[in-house]
Amino acid sequence: METQHATIAMLTYQRNTLLAAVLPALLDQAGRSPVPTRVLVVDNDPSGQAAPVVRAAQARAREQGVALRYVHEPVPGIVAGRNRALEESGDDLLAFIDDDEEPGPGWLEALLDAHERLGCEAVTGPTPPRFTRPASAWVRHSGAFDSWQAPDGGVVTSADTGNLLLDLAVVRGLGLRFDPRYGLSGGEDSLFTRSLTLAGATIRFAAGAVVDKRVPPTRATRAWVLRRSFRSGSSWARVRIDTATGARLPRRLGYALKGLARAGRDGARAVVARGRGDDAARAVHEVSCRGGLGMVVGAFGGRVLEYGRAKDAS
């Protein structure tokens, strides 16, 4: 049997300080991998400013016997970057990670072990938050940054591509790519992984494959969380409609009504919680209410932009 190969693909956009800090950890992960592994940096900055950062790390990569490659993807949006990673990864397995994340000890090994041991087509793991400054009680209780959990080895139906191992033979056999309609709104990972499982593939959860996600002060605010919740509700509805079969109008109406009901119910609960001085419950209900409103928008195809490059989009 031929030896498998793997690629760690890091997408980056104007976060050169974070990129420089995390590259040594990625090289260490690749060097300790049980299969030959290279590191691929996909720079989604139109000006390509990450190139010097990668060049500076290549000497260390050579010392460790790890291939470190840089590619420039100037087309704006995370979808273009993820699809470029698919195109550039001619290996058997591809592990995605983002430039605001840091892999925990044994991250890649845990992903690879689960893939081999469980015979699945994809593996994901926890993404706990790391607040760079203490967050308010409202933000902490909102759940917006909580890492979702599943039993170790359990089957999940979708995953975050910030921590995801893919069997590329399966992905290419199914003709899957990230949908450009989600390039500036987010939700592309939910659509991709949901499409993968609907096609019969299995995604497993590896509890030991931990990736810490940095949360800067600009995101650890009530205003940012509520905007993200609105966007998430929109993309949640859009993904389910885009992956459904049959007539879409009844589904659109159904999700819109579900969103309205959720917004009304949790909006009222948030008001009650505020009157009681219960900040934890208020945060949870306000986030749910805003997500419900987003569902209404998404149900009718509304696109809520998250990434600040809409003016560059085609």
Side-chain angles (χ1 to χ4, degrees), residues 200-237:
T202 300
I203 306 173
R204 297 277 184 173
F205 189 83
V210 180
V211 166
D212 291 332
K213 181 175 283 291
R214 297 179 184 87
V215 183
T218 53
R219 293 191 173 194
T221 68
R222 179 174 176 271
W224 191 93
V225 167
L226 291 177
R227 287 196 301 271
R228 165 60 70 90
S229 301
F230 185 72
R231 195 281 294 168
S232 296
S234 170
S235 60
W236 185 91

Short mmCIF file of all heavy atoms in Angstrom, two decimals, residues 200-237:
data_model
loop_
_atom_site.label_atom_id
_atom_site.label_comp_id
_atom_site.label_asym_id
_atom_site.label_seq_id
_atom_site.Cartn_x
_atom_site.Cartn_y
_atom_site.Cartn_z
N GLY A 200 -23.22 11.05 1.42
CA GLY A 200 -22.93 9.75 1.99
C GLY A 200 -21.63 9.64 2.75
O GLY A 200 -21.31 8.57 3.29
N ALA A 201 -20.85 10.72 2.81
CA ALA A 201 -19.59 10.69 3.53
C ALA A 201 -19.84 10.85 5.04
O ALA A 201 -20.89 11.32 5.46
CB ALA A 201 -18.67 11.80 3.03
N THR A 202 -18.83 10.47 5.83
CA THR A 202 -18.93 10.53 7.28
C THR A 202 -17.88 11.47 7.84
O THR A 202 -16.71 11.38 7.49
CB THR A 202 -18.75 9.13 7.91
OG1 THR A 202 -19.76 8.26 7.41
CG2 THR A 202 -18.84 9.21 9.42
N ILE A 203 -18.31 12.38 8.73
CA ILE A 203 -17.40 13.26 9.46
C ILE A 203 -17.38 12.80 10.91
O ILE A 203 -18.43 12.65 11.54
CB ILE A 203 -17.84 14.73 9.40
CG1 ILE A 203 -18.04 15.19 7.96
CG2 ILE A 203 -16.81 15.63 10.10
CD1 ILE A 203 -18.65 16.59 7.84
N ARG A 204 -16.19 12.56 11.45
CA ARG A 204 -16.04 12.14 12.84
C ARG A 204 -15.44 13.26 13.68
O ARG A 204 -14.73 14.12 13.17
CB ARG A 204 -15.13 10.91 12.92
CG ARG A 204 -15.66 9.68 12.20
CD ARG A 204 -16.64 8.91 13.04
NE ARG A 204 -17.07 7.67 12.39
CZ ARG A 204 -17.83 6.76 12.97
NH1 ARG A 204 -18.23 6.93 14.22
NH2 ARG A 204 -18.19 5.67 12.31
N PHE A 205 -15.70 13.19 14.96
CA PHE A 205 -15.19 14.19 15.90
C PHE A 205 -14.03 13.60 16.68
O PHE A 205 -14.16 12.53 17.29
CB PHE A 205 -16.30 14.63 16.86
CG PHE A 205 -15.94 15.79 17.73
CD1 PHE A 205 -16.05 17.09 17.25
CD2 PHE A 205 -15.49 15.59 19.03
CE1 PHE A 205 -15.72 18.17 18.06
CE2 PHE A 205 -15.17 16.67 19.84
CZ PHE A 205 -15.28 17.96 19.36
N ALA A 206 -12.87 14.29 16.65
CA ALA A 206 -11.70 13.86 17.41
C ALA A 206 -11.48 14.83 18.56
O ALA A 206 -11.05 15.97 18.34
CB ALA A 206 -10.47 13.81 16.51
N ALA A 207 -11.78 14.41 19.78
CA ALA A 207 -11.72 15.30 20.93
C ALA A 207 -10.30 15.81 21.18
O ALA A 207 -10.12 16.89 21.75
CB ALA A 207 -12.26 14.59 22.17
N GLY A 208 -9.29 15.04 20.77
CA GLY A 208 -7.91 15.44 21.01
C GLY A 208 -7.34 16.37 19.96
O GLY A 208 -6.22 16.87 20.11
N ALA A 209 -8.10 16.63 18.89
CA ALA A 209 -7.61 17.51 17.81
C ALA A 209 -8.07 18.94 18.10
O ALA A 209 -9.00 19.45 17.48
CB ALA A 209 -8.14 17.02 16.46
N VAL A 210 -7.40 19.58 19.04
CA VAL A 210 -7.84 20.89 19.54
C VAL A 210 -7.12 22.02 18.81
O VAL A 210 -5.91 21.99 18.63
CB VAL A 210 -7.59 21.01 21.05
CG1 VAL A 210 -8.05 22.37 21.57
CG2 VAL A 210 -8.29 19.88 21.80
N VAL A 211 -7.90 23.01 18.41
CA VAL A 211 -7.37 24.24 17.82
C VAL A 211 -7.92 25.41 18.62
O VAL A 211 -9.13 25.56 18.75
CB VAL A 211 -7.77 24.38 16.34
CG1 VAL A 211 -7.51 25.79 15.83
CG2 VAL A 211 -7.01 23.38 15.47
N ASP A 212 -7.04 26.22 19.19
CA ASP A 212 -7.47 27.41 19.93
C ASP A 212 -7.72 28.56 18.95
O ASP A 212 -6.88 28.85 18.10
CB ASP A 212 -6.41 27.85 20.94
CG ASP A 212 -6.27 26.87 22.09
OD1 ASP A 212 -7.26 26.19 22.40
OD2 ASP A 212 -5.17 26.77 22.65
N LYS A 213 -8.87 29.21 19.09
CA LYS A 213 -9.21 30.34 18.23
C LYS A 213 -9.06 31.64 19.02
O LYS A 213 -9.72 31.84 20.03
CB LYS A 213 -10.65 30.22 17.70
CG LYS A 213 -11.05 31.37 16.77
CD LYS A 213 -12.42 31.16 16.18
CE LYS A 213 -12.37 30.15 15.05
NZ LYS A 213 -11.66 30.66 13.86
N ARG A 214 -8.18 32.52 18.53
CA ARG A 214 -7.99 33.81 19.18
C ARG A 214 -9.20 34.71 18.96
O ARG A 214 -9.70 34.81 17.85
CB ARG A 214 -6.74 34.51 18.64
CG ARG A 214 -5.43 33.77 18.88
CD ARG A 214 -4.29 34.56 18.28
NE ARG A 214 -3.02 33.87 18.40
CZ ARG A 214 -2.55 32.99 17.52
NH1 ARG A 214 -3.27 32.72 16.45
NH2 ARG A 214 -1.38 32.41 17.70
N VAL A 215 -9.63 35.37 20.02
CA VAL A 215 -10.74 36.32 19.94
C VAL A 215 -10.22 37.69 20.36
O VAL A 215 -9.99 37.93 21.55
CB VAL A 215 -11.92 35.90 20.84
CG1 VAL A 215 -13.07 36.89 20.67
CG2 VAL A 215 -12.37 34.48 20.53
N PRO A 216 -10.01 38.60 19.41
CA PRO A 216 -9.49 39.92 19.76
C PRO A 216 -10.58 40.79 20.39
O PRO A 216 -11.77 40.50 20.27
CB PRO A 216 -9.05 40.49 18.40
CG PRO A 216 -9.97 39.83 17.42
CD PRO A 216 -10.21 38.44 17.96
N PRO A 217 -10.19 41.88 21.04
CA PRO A 217 -11.17 42.76 21.68
C PRO A 217 -12.22 43.30 20.71
O PRO A 217 -13.36 43.55 21.11
CB PRO A 217 -10.31 43.89 22.26
CG PRO A 217 -8.96 43.28 22.44
CD PRO A 217 -8.80 42.29 21.33
N THR A 218 -11.85 43.48 19.45
CA THR A 218 -12.81 44.02 18.48
C THR A 218 -13.97 43.08 18.22
O THR A 218 -15.04 43.50 17.77
CB THR A 218 -12.10 44.32 17.14
OG1 THR A 218 -11.40 43.15 16.71
CG2 THR A 218 -11.13 45.48 17.30
N ARG A 219 -13.76 41.80 18.49
CA ARG A 219 -14.84 40.82 18.31
C ARG A 219 -15.55 40.49 19.62
O ARG A 219 -16.70 40.03 19.59
CB ARG A 219 -14.31 39.53 17.69
CG ARG A 219 -13.83 39.71 16.26
CD ARG A 219 -13.57 38.39 15.59
NE ARG A 219 -13.27 38.56 14.17
CZ ARG A 219 -13.24 37.58 13.28
NH1 ARG A 219 -13.49 36.34 13.67
NH2 ARG A 219 -12.98 37.82 12.01
N ALA A 220 -14.88 40.67 20.72
CA ALA A 220 -15.47 40.32 22.01
C ALA A 220 -16.35 41.45 22.53
O ALA A 220 -16.17 41.97 23.63
CB ALA A 220 -14.36 40.00 23.01
N THR A 221 -17.32 41.84 21.69
CA THR A 221 -18.26 42.90 22.06
C THR A 221 -19.68 42.44 21.77
O THR A 221 -19.91 41.59 20.90
CB THR A 221 -17.99 44.19 21.26
OG1 THR A 221 -18.31 43.97 19.88
CG2 THR A 221 -16.54 44.63 21.39
N ARG A 222 -20.62 43.04 22.48
CA ARG A 222 -22.02 42.70 22.25
C ARG A 222 -22.44 43.03 20.83
O ARG A 222 -23.15 42.23 20.17
CB ARG A 222 -22.89 43.45 23.26
CG ARG A 222 -24.39 43.20 23.12
CD ARG A 222 -25.15 43.88 24.26
NE ARG A 222 -26.59 43.74 24.09
CZ ARG A 222 -27.35 44.59 23.41
NH1 ARG A 222 -26.79 45.65 22.82
NH2 ARG A 222 -28.65 44.39 23.30
N ALA A 223 -22.01 44.18 20.31
CA ALA A 223 -22.40 44.58 18.96
C ALA A 223 -21.89 43.59 17.92
O ALA A 223 -22.62 43.20 17.00
CB ALA A 223 -21.86 45.98 18.66
N TRP A 224 -20.63 43.15 18.05
CA TRP A 224 -20.08 42.21 17.07
C TRP A 224 -20.80 40.87 17.15
O TRP A 224 -21.12 40.26 16.12
CB TRP A 224 -18.58 42.02 17.29
CG TRP A 224 -17.91 41.29 16.19
CD1 TRP A 224 -17.29 41.82 15.10
CD2 TRP A 224 -17.80 39.85 16.04
NE1 TRP A 224 -16.80 40.83 14.28
CE2 TRP A 224 -17.10 39.61 14.83
CE3 TRP A 224 -18.22 38.77 16.79
CZ2 TRP A 224 -16.82 38.33 14.37
CZ3 TRP A 224 -17.94 37.48 16.34
CH2 TRP A 224 -17.26 37.27 15.14
N VAL A 225 -21.03 40.41 18.36
CA VAL A 225 -21.70 39.11 18.54
C VAL A 225 -23.09 39.13 17.93
O VAL A 225 -23.51 38.18 17.25
CB VAL A 225 -21.76 38.74 20.03
CG1 VAL A 225 -22.71 37.56 20.26
CG2 VAL A 225 -20.37 38.38 20.54
N LEU A 226 -23.84 40.22 18.12
CA LEU A 226 -25.18 40.29 17.56
C LEU A 226 -25.15 40.35 16.03
O LEU A 226 -26.00 39.75 15.37
CB LEU A 226 -25.93 41.49 18.14
CG LEU A 226 -26.30 41.37 19.62
CD1 LEU A 226 -26.98 42.64 20.10
CD2 LEU A 226 -27.18 40.15 19.88
N ARG A 227 -24.16 41.06 15.47
CA ARG A 227 -24.02 41.06 14.00
C ARG A 227 -23.70 39.65 13.49
O ARG A 227 -24.27 39.20 12.49
CB ARG A 227 -22.93 42.04 13.57
CG ARG A 227 -23.30 43.50 13.69
CD ARG A 227 -22.36 44.38 12.89
NE ARG A 227 -20.97 44.24 13.33
CZ ARG A 227 -20.42 44.97 14.29
NH1 ARG A 227 -21.14 45.88 14.94
NH2 ARG A 227 -19.15 44.80 14.62
N ARG A 228 -22.80 38.97 14.18
CA ARG A 228 -22.44 37.60 13.77
C ARG A 228 -23.65 36.68 13.91
O ARG A 228 -23.87 35.81 13.05
CB ARG A 228 -21.28 37.10 14.62
CG ARG A 228 -21.02 35.59 14.57
CD ARG A 228 -20.72 35.07 13.17
NE ARG A 228 -19.44 35.49 12.68
CZ ARG A 228 -18.30 34.81 12.85
NH1 ARG A 228 -18.30 33.68 13.54
NH2 ARG A 228 -17.18 35.24 12.33
N SER A 229 -24.44 36.85 14.94
CA SER A 229 -25.61 35.99 15.13
C SER A 229 -26.62 36.19 14.01
O SER A 229 -27.22 35.23 13.51
CB SER A 229 -26.27 36.30 16.49
OG SER A 229 -25.36 36.09 17.54
N PHE A 230 -26.82 37.44 13.60
CA PHE A 230 -27.72 37.74 12.50
C PHE A 230 -27.21 37.09 11.21
O PHE A 230 -27.97 36.45 10.47
CB PHE A 230 -27.82 39.25 12.33
CG PHE A 230 -28.81 39.70 11.29
CD1 PHE A 230 -30.18 39.59 11.51
CD2 PHE A 230 -28.38 40.22 10.08
CE1 PHE A 230 -31.10 40.01 10.56
CE2 PHE A 230 -29.28 40.64 9.12
CZ PHE A 230 -30.64 40.54 9.35
N ARG A 231 -25.91 37.22 10.95
CA ARG A 231 -25.31 36.60 9.76
C ARG A 231 -25.41 35.08 9.84
O ARG A 231 -25.74 34.41 8.84
CB ARG A 231 -23.85 37.04 9.63
CG ARG A 231 -23.24 36.75 8.27
CD ARG A 231 -22.82 35.31 8.08
NE ARG A 231 -21.73 34.93 8.97
CZ ARG A 231 -21.36 33.67 9.16
NH1 ARG A 231 -22.03 32.67 8.58
NH2 ARG A 231 -20.36 33.38 9.96
N SER A 232 -25.15 34.52 10.99
CA SER A 232 -25.20 33.06 11.14
C SER A 232 -26.60 32.52 10.91
O SER A 232 -26.78 31.47 10.27
CB SER A 232 -24.70 32.65 12.53
OG SER A 232 -23.35 32.99 12.71
N GLY A 233 -27.60 33.22 11.41
CA GLY A 233 -28.97 32.79 11.16
C GLY A 233 -29.32 32.84 9.69
O GLY A 233 -29.97 31.93 9.16
N SER A 234 -28.84 33.87 9.02
CA SER A 234 -29.08 33.99 7.58
C SER A 234 -28.44 32.85 6.81
O SER A 234 -29.07 32.20 5.97
CB SER A 234 -28.54 35.34 7.08
OG SER A 234 -28.55 35.40 5.67
N SER A 235 -27.15 32.59 7.08
CA SER A 235 -26.46 31.53 6.33
C SER A 235 -27.00 30.15 6.70
O SER A 235 -27.05 29.25 5.85
CB SER A 235 -24.95 31.60 6.57
OG SER A 235 -24.65 31.43 7.94
N TRP A 236 -27.45 29.97 7.95
CA TRP A 236 -28.04 28.68 8.36
C TRP A 236 -29.24 28.36 7.46
O TRP A 236 -29.38 27.24 6.95
CB TRP A 236 -28.46 28.75 9.82
CG TRP A 236 -28.98 27.46 10.39
CD1 TRP A 236 -28.25 26.50 11.03
CD2 TRP A 236 -30.33 26.98 10.36
NE1 TRP A 236 -29.07 25.45 11.40
CE2 TRP A 236 -30.36 25.73 11.00
CE3 TRP A 236 -31.52 27.50 9.85
CZ2 TRP A 236 -31.52 24.98 11.15
CZ3 TRP A 236 -32.69 26.75 9.99
CH2 TRP A 236 -32.68 25.52 10.64
N ALA A 237 -30.13 29.33 7.28
CA ALA A 237 -31.30 29.10 6.44
C ALA A 237 -30.92 28.91 4.99
O ALA A 237 -31.45 28.03 4.30
CB ALA A 237 -32.28 30.27 6.59
#
